Amino acid sequence: MKETDREAVATAVQRVAGMLQRPDQLDKVEQYRRREARKKASVEARLKAAIQSQLDGVRTGLSQLHNALNDVKDIQRSLADVSKDWRQGINTIESLKDVKDAVVRHSQLAAAVENLKNIFSVPEIVRETQDLIEQGALLQAHRKLMDLECSRDGLMYEQYRMDSGNTRDMTLIHSYFGSTQGLSDELAKQLWMVLQRSLVTVRRDPTLLVSVVRIIEREEKIDRRILDRKKQTSFVPPGRPKNWKEKMFAILDRTVTTRIEGTQADTRESDKMWLVRHLEIIRKYVLDDLLVAKNLMVQCFPPHYEIFRNLLRMYHQALTTRMQELASEDLEANEIVSLLTWVLNTYTSTEMMGNVELAPEVDVSILEPLLSPNVVSELLDTYMSTLTSNIIAWLRKALETDKKDWIKETEPEADQDGYYQTTLPAIVFQMFEQNLQVAAQISEDLKIKVLVLCLQQMNSFLSRYKDEAQLYKEEHLRNRQHPHCYVQYMIAIINNCQTFKESIVSLKRKYLKNEVEEGVSLSQPSMDGILDAIAKEGCSSLLEEVFLDLEQHLCELMTRKWLLGSKAVDIICVTVEDYFNDFAKIKKPYKKRMTAEAHRRVVVEYLRAVMQKRISFRSPEERKEGAERMVREAEQLRFLFRKLASGFGEDADGYCDTIIAVAEVIKLTDPSLLYLEVSTLVSKYPDIRDDHIGALLAVRGDASRDMKQTIIETLEQGPTQVNPNYVPIFREIIVPSLNVAKLLK
C-alpha cells in the first residue's frame, strides 16, 4: 500500500507541476481544486456502483447453486424409487412369457386366417394368371401374381418370425406356392418380348408398352420395400429382389446390339458395295429409332428412367463396338474410305446424330469418337499404302493402253479446238480427282496426303512416259512406214504434255487452299521440266521426219544444178507447209517453238550448203545470179515462215536475213570492198569463224589465197562486241575439209 501511495503522490505532483508552470496560473488554484474534487467524486461513484453490481451477481449465483443442490437430491431419491420398483417387476415380466408366445401364435393365426381364402384358391389363381398372360392382359395377370406373392411372402414372414430355424415349414410353404415363381418368369418373358419390340410397339400399341413399364415400376417399389424390411428383420422372400428395371435396360441394350449387327445383309463376295449398304442401313435405322424414342417412347416411361439418354448411350456403344469390329477386318481401300467417311463425317452430320429433330437432347460435340485415334491412324496408313499400289498399277495400265493406241491405223481423236489428243490425261486425272474427292470427304489432312501422293506418282509416271515416247520414236526410225499414224500420235503425245501441265495446275488450285499447303506438295517445276523435255523430244522427232524428207532437196542447194534452175526450195517450202498443216494440230505453246525451230534449221541447212563449198562461182555474172537466187529463196522462206507463224505475235525474219547478208558478200562486184562487206557480216554474226569466212570466199571463186589470209587476219585483230540478245546460228555449222568439199561437189 505504501508503494501505491508513493506512486499516487508522485503522479499527483507531476500533474500539479503541469498545471502550475506559469505565475498567472496560481490564480486558478481554487478552480483546479474544485475540478479535481468533482473528478474524484465521479470516480468514487462509479467504483461503488461496480462493486455493488458484482455483489448482486454473487448473491444470485449462490441462490441458484442452492436450488440445484436441492434438485439433485430429489432426483437421487426418485432414481432410488425406480430401481426398487424395477427389481420388484422382474418376476412379473417372466410370468408373462406365455402370454407373449400366445400373442405371436395369434398373430400368425390371424395372418393365416386373413390369407386362408387365397391359400385355398392358389391353384385357381395360378390358372387364371396363366390364362391372362397368354391373352396378353399383362396388368391383370400381374395383379393376381402380386396377390399370390403377397400371400406367400406374408406366411413365410410369420413363420420366419415364429421360428426362423424351422426350414421344414418354410419349405412346405414355398412348395405350395411353387407355381408362383414360374408365373413370374413367364410374365417376365412376355415383358421382355414387348421391350424387344418396343420401337414397333410404341407406334402400334403404346398402351401395351405403358403397361409393361407400370408392371416394372410396381416390382421396383416392392423390391425397395422388401430391402428396407430386410434391414430390420433380415427376411427376404424367394426370388427377391427381381431387379426388373435393371433387366429391362439389359434387354434394351441387347436388342440395340442385335439390331445393329443384324443390318449386314450382304458380304464382299455377294456385293462389292456391301459395306456402303451396311452403313447406310445402320444410319437409317439408328436415326429412325432415336426419333421414335424421342417423340414417342419418352411418353411411355417415367422421367427418372431417362429412357432417351440411355437408349442414345446404348446405340452409341453398340455402334462403337460394330465399327471396331469392321475396322479389324481386312478391308479394301474403298471400304476403308467408306468406313472412315461414315465414322468421321456421316455419324455427326445432319443425316444422323446432328439431325435437327434430335436437338437439343443430342449434342454431337460431346459424343465420344466411334474409333480411337490410333485405329483411325492405322486405317489411314493401310489406305495410303493400298492407294499407292493401286495408283502405280492404274498408271501403268493407263500407259499400256495408251501405247496400244499409238500403233493404230486410225488417227487419234481431237479435242473441241481440233488438237490431237489421247485419253491418257483424262484417265489419269479422272483417277486422281476421284481419289481426292474421296479423301476430302474424310479429312483435309488426308486430302493433302493423297494430293502429295498423286503428284509424286505423277512425277514417276512422266519419267516412264518420256522413256516410252523415246522408244516409240526409235521404233519408227527403224521402219518409217510403221506405225502408220506416227506423226499424228506424236502430236497427240506433245499435246498431252500441255494437258498434263494444265491439269496439274488445276488440281493444285482446286485442292490446295493456300500457299502454306502448296508448300507441302511437290514442286511444279520438276514436272514441268519433264513435260517440256517430252514435248521437246516429240517436236524434235517430228522435225526429224520433215528434214529426212527434205534431205535430198537440201543437198541440191548451192550446186550447179541449183544455179541452173533447181526447184529445190520450192519443194522444200511445199514439203514444210504440208507437214505444218498436220502440225496445226499441235497446241500453241509447242507449235510456236516448233515453227521457230523449223525456221532456224532450214536457214542453218541453207547456210551449211553454202559453207560446204558445193559450188565456186566462175564469173561476176554467176555470182550475181547466184546471190539474187539466194535472196529470192530467202524471201520465199521468209514468206513461208511468216505464214506458218501467223497468230504467234513474233517475228523471226532475222534467220532469213542471214541468207541475204551472205548473198550480199557473194554478190559484191568490187573485190577491194570485200573486206568491208565481210567485216559487216562478222559484226552482225559474231559466231562466224575463220573457216566460215574462208568457205564463203571460196564460193565467190575470185579471192586469192593471200586476200583470204589478209581479210581473216585483219578481222582477227579487230575488236568484236557481241549483242547480248544475239542467238548464234553459225556455231553448229561445220566447214568440211577440202577433200570432203570435193566429194560433196
Side-chain angles (χ1 to χ4, degrees), residues 208-482:
L208 180 59
L209 183 59
V210 171
S211 299
V212 170
V213 176
R214 287 179 62 188
I215 292 170
I216 293 172
E217 189 65 10
R218 286 177 185 174
E219 291 294 338
E220 283 295 301
K221 290 179 180 178
I222 296 172
D223 282 349
R224 288 194 295 270
R225 186 169 66 247
I226 288 175
L227 291 175
D228 290 341
R229 188 171 66 181
K230 177 187 176 183
K231 296 176 183 178
Q232 301 173 357
T233 65
S234 300
F235 172 73
V236 179
R240 291 290 180 180
K242 292 184 178 180
N243 294 323
W244 277 8
K245 179 180 177 182
E246 181 180 338
K247 292 179 180 178
M248 175 195 76
F249 282 114
I251 291 295
L252 289 174
D253 195 8
R254 286 201 300 272
T255 302
V256 168
T257 302
T258 304
R259 183 161 174 79
I260 296 299
E261 293 175 349
T263 54
Q264 183 176 344
D266 303 298
T267 60
R268 184 182 294 119
E269 291 72 20
S270 62
D271 186 356
K272 291 294 183 182
M273 301 297 289
W274 69 275
L275 185 57
V276 174
R277 193 184 308 277
H278 180 38
L279 294 173
E280 176 58 21
I281 293 173
I282 289 177
R283 183 199 68 78
K284 186 176 184 304
Y285 279 11
V286 171
L287 179 59
D288 290 347
D289 291 353
L290 290 178
L291 288 174
V292 170
K294 180 188 175 185
N295 297 324
L296 299 177
M297 285 188 70
V298 293
Q299 302 175 20
C300 301
F301 288 79
H304 65 273
Y305 275 48
E306 295 184 321
I307 189 63
F308 181 76
R309 186 180 66 81
N310 281 295
L311 279 174
L312 177 63
R313 175 186 55 78
M314 294 173 192
Y315 273 101
H316 184 76
Q317 184 58 45
L319 288 172
T320 300
T321 303
R322 183 55 183 157
M323 294 306 115
Q324 290 173 348
E325 290 174 354
L326 291 173
S328 64
E329 295 185 11
D330 187 15
L331 298 177
E332 297 178 354
N334 61 320
E335 293 169 350
I336 292 175
V337 168
S338 299
L339 180 63
L340 290 178
T341 302
W342 196 93
V343 168
L344 300 178
N345 299 324
T346 304
Y347 183 62
T348 56
S349 70
T350 55
E351 296 179 354
M352 199 169 177
M353 291 303 187
N355 191 288
V356 292
E357 295 185 38
L358 293 177
E361 286 79 358
V362 178
D363 184 359
V364 295
S365 63
I366 63 174
L367 288 175
E368 293 292 327
L370 295 177
L371 292 176
S372 66
N374 290 337
V375 174
V376 172
S377 179
E378 290 175 5
L379 286 174
L380 289 176
D381 291 343
T382 303
Y383 172 71
M384 291 300 294
S385 175
T386 306
L387 182 61
T388 302
S389 302
N390 289 345
I391 288 178
I392 293 173
W394 291 334
L395 290 174
R396 184 179 294 112
K397 183 178 180 180
L399 183 54
E400 291 298 324
T401 303
D402 205 56
K403 283 169 56 182
K404 292 177 182 178
D405 291 342
W406 296 352
I407 58 176
K408 286 183 177 179
E409 298 293 327
T410 56
E411 294 183 357
E413 296 180 356
D415 62 12
Q416 64 271 20
D417 297 321
Y419 298 119
Y420 284 139
Q421 64 176 7
T422 67
T423 57
L424 183 62
I427 292 173
V428 169
F429 281 92
Q430 183 181 9
M431 175 187 65
F432 287 170
E433 185 80 21
Q434 289 173 351
N435 284 288
L436 284 167
Q437 288 175 357
V438 167
Q441 293 175 3
I442 298 176
S443 67
E444 285 294 314
D445 183 57
L446 181 62
K447 181 192 73 174
I448 299 302
K449 288 182 179 179
V450 172
L451 179 58
V452 171
L453 173 62
C454 291
L455 294 176
Q456 288 173 340
Q457 295 305 320
M458 186 67 188
N459 224 1
S460 303
F461 167 76
L462 291 178
S463 297
R464 294 196 300 273
Y465 191 51
K466 179 182 178 183
D467 295 340
E468 293 296 340
Q470 182 64 26
L471 291 173
Y472 183 55
K473 169 188 171 182
E474 293 171 1
E475 183 70 24
H476 172 71
L477 290 177
R478 283 194 287 269
N479 181 5
R480 293 188 64 206
Q481 303 302 317
H482 181 79

Side-chain angles (χ1 to χ4, degrees), residues 4-68:
T4 303
D5 290 343
R6 281 197 299 271
E7 289 180 359
V9 171
T11 302
V13 170
Q14 188 177 0
R15 289 195 63 189
V16 170
M19 294 178 186
L20 302 176
Q21 292 180 355
R22 298 190 304 277
D24 59 334
Q25 290 179 329
L26 292 174
D27 297 337
K28 299 180 180 180
V29 170
E30 188 62 30
Q31 181 181 350
Y32 291 154
R33 184 182 290 114
R34 288 195 300 270
R35 187 175 66 186
E36 291 300 323
R38 287 196 300 272
K39 286 184 178 179
K40 180 181 178 184
S42 175
V43 170
E44 289 176 350
R46 289 200 300 273
L47 183 60
K48 289 178 181 179
I51 293 172
Q52 184 63 40
S53 176
Q54 291 292 330
L55 291 174
D56 291 343
V58 170
R59 188 180 296 110
T60 303
L62 290 173
S63 175
Q64 290 176 349
L65 286 173
H66 181 70
N67 293 336

Side-chain angles (χ1 to χ4, degrees), residues 59 86 356 501 692 722:
R59 188 180 296 110
W86 178 74
V356 292
K501 291 172 73 172
H692 292 146
V722 180

